[in-house]
Amino acid sequence: MIWYGFRIKAIIISLVIGLVCLFGGQWLYDKYGYQQSLQQVLERQPQVVDFKTEEQGDRLAVKVRLRSAGDLMVTYQQLEDALDNALGNRPFVLELLDNRDASLEEAYYQSQFAIYQALAQGSFKEMEAEINRQAGAVGATSRVYIDGENIYLALIKGDRFLTKVIPRNPPQEVTGGVGPYA
């Protein structure tokens, strides 16, 4: 069929082939570009049970299930470095999945006030004492680690554990229409 000198069948076939190549190339990149290297890197980490990835806008969310709380700060830093090497320039966010129960969640909830007060005022000793008190109230133990970037909290009760990584300097989001320069 010819329309104004163009062969419609040839145009449609070319369009379909182009789309197949485009989507096939994207699938190959996802499968072999970063997914395979990501899998290899995370399988070498002794604390990792399993992981999954999902797209979150322009970032890749890597959700990692931990075997135990262990030394949370070291584990988190090792995972971040491994992901950084595997993903190159691709932006990502690391989320830790744990094995929590309701009592550990309650202890964490009751500890949040001390955590955020410590972030604002620098009262980390008092924060640690309050976290230990809240953990003890539910029959758990706590481990708190701090570095220049995060507070790492692990609450452990038997074979259950809760992990939280709280940024010390959360990113500031700019919202329009608020403040003196709006």
Side-chain angles (χ1 to χ4, degrees):
M1 175 185 216
I2 297 177
W3 180 65
Y4 290 108
F6 295 108
R7 294 184 179 175
I8 302 296
K9 284 184 182 181
I11 292 173
I12 291 174
I13 290 172
S14 298
L15 182 64
V16 168
I17 290 172
L19 289 173
V20 166
C21 288
L22 181 69
F23 289 117
Q26 180 65 40
W27 179 81
L28 285 172
Y29 172 75
D30 287 346
K31 177 82 172 155
Y32 298 108
Y34 74 87
Q35 286 284 359
Q36 191 172 17
S37 61
L38 185 64
Q39 183 173 356
Q40 289 172 353
V41 164
L42 290 176
E43 283 177 349
R44 283 187 240 138
Q45 299 294 323
Q47 281 290 76
V48 175
V49 173
D50 64 356
F51 74 96
K52 64 181 177 178
T53 60
E54 61 184 52
E55 298 289 333
Q56 288 184 345
D58 62 341
R59 297 184 304 177
L60 179 70
V62 182
K63 298 180 180 190
V64 176
R65 182 166 308 281
L66 297 178
R67 192 171 311 285
S68 67
D71 186 342
L72 186 59
M73 182 173 72
V74 170
T75 299
Y76 189 83
Q77 290 170 346
Q78 287 174 344
L79 288 172
E80 258 194 340
D81 289 343
L83 291 174
D84 197 36
N85 290 334
L87 296 174
N89 293 333
R90 182 162 187 168
F92 68 91
V93 61
L94 172 60
E95 296 178 31
L96 299 180
L97 304 175
D98 50 33
N99 184 16
R100 64 182 64 187
D101 65 9
S103 65
L104 294 175
E105 287 180 354
E106 180 63 23
Y108 171 67
Y109 174 75
Q110 294 299 327
S111 300
Q112 285 184 26
F113 300 106
I115 293 168
Y116 289 102
Q117 180 180 4
L119 286 172
Q121 298 175 351
S123 56
F124 295 110
K125 286 264 192 208
E126 292 85 2
M127 173 194 72
E128 182 183 28
E130 180 63 19
I131 292 171
N132 287 336
R133 191 175 74 72
Q134 293 298 334
V138 297
T141 58
S142 67
R143 294 182 191 157
V144 180
Y145 309 93
I146 301 173
D147 66 11
E149 297 176 19
N150 300 308
I151 296 173
Y152 307 87
L153 171 64
L155 299 175
I156 305 155
K157 182 179 177 184
D159 62 341
R160 300 283 194 176
F161 63 97
L162 176 144
T163 58
K164 285 289 183 180
V165 178
I166 301 125
R168 289 187 61 185
N169 299 309
Q172 300 295 319
E173 292 186 24
V174 178
T175 57
V178 179
Y181 302 108

